[in-house]
Each structure stands twice: as structure tokens, then as C-alpha cells.
Amino acid sequence: MIPVGQQALLHIIVHLLFLVIAWWAMQAIHFDKWIKKGKVMQARVLYILMVISLASLASDFFLKYLQYSTNLSQLFG
């Protein structure tokens, strides 16, 4: 079992890593075509919220998968 401090550090690092990956991946989409004139600030906020949501989903999946795979040792031990 991982100590609480190490687990917290792992979660922070994974969440930040997936934020960077999600930001990088979202750069491939041209949102400029869908933005109404004069609504740039709202579009930026939406973009940031979409990146955070995507990163949160991906990092939660990764962390749960990691937890479940480490818990498999208890099945056989």
C-alpha cells in the first residue's frame, strides 16, 4: 500500500500530466470557426473547461486502472 503523501503526489503529477496532454491534443481543433463575434472571452473559458474536463476523465481512468491493477495482487496473495 502506498503512503498517503506519495499517493497525493502521484495524483497531482498525473493530473498535471494529463492537463498538458489534453491541452496539446485540443490544439488540433479549430474553434475559430464556431466563435461568434465579440464572444472571445467566453470561447476561451469554454476551451479551458473542456481541457480540464477531458484531462480529468483521462487521469481518473488512468489512476483507477493503476489502483485496480495493483489490487489484483491481493486476489492471488
Side-chain angles (χ1 to χ4, degrees):
M1 186 163 155
I2 302 174
V4 176
Q6 290 177 358
Q7 188 176 10
L9 181 63
L10 175 68
H11 282 241
I12 290 171
I13 291 171
V14 168
H15 283 300
L16 288 175
L17 176 70
F18 277 96
L19 267 173
V20 171
I21 292 171
W23 186 272
W24 173 76
M26 292 287 285
Q27 298 291 319
I29 300 174
H30 290 283
F31 287 106
D32 301 341
K33 298 175 185 177
W34 299 333
I35 298 174
K36 293 181 180 179
K37 291 183 180 181
K39 301 292 183 178
V40 176
M41 185 58 83
Q42 287 95 336
R44 287 181 184 166
V45 170
L46 177 63
Y47 187 81
I48 291 170
L49 291 174
M50 289 172 59
V51 167
I52 291 170
S53 300
L54 180 62
S56 178
L57 284 171
S59 62
D60 284 344
F61 171 80
F62 177 79
L63 289 169
K64 284 182 183 180
Y65 187 84
L66 181 65
Q67 177 187 4
Y68 295 155
S69 63
T70 56
N71 288 343
L72 278 177
S73 65
Q74 295 177 2
L75 181 64
F76 301 110

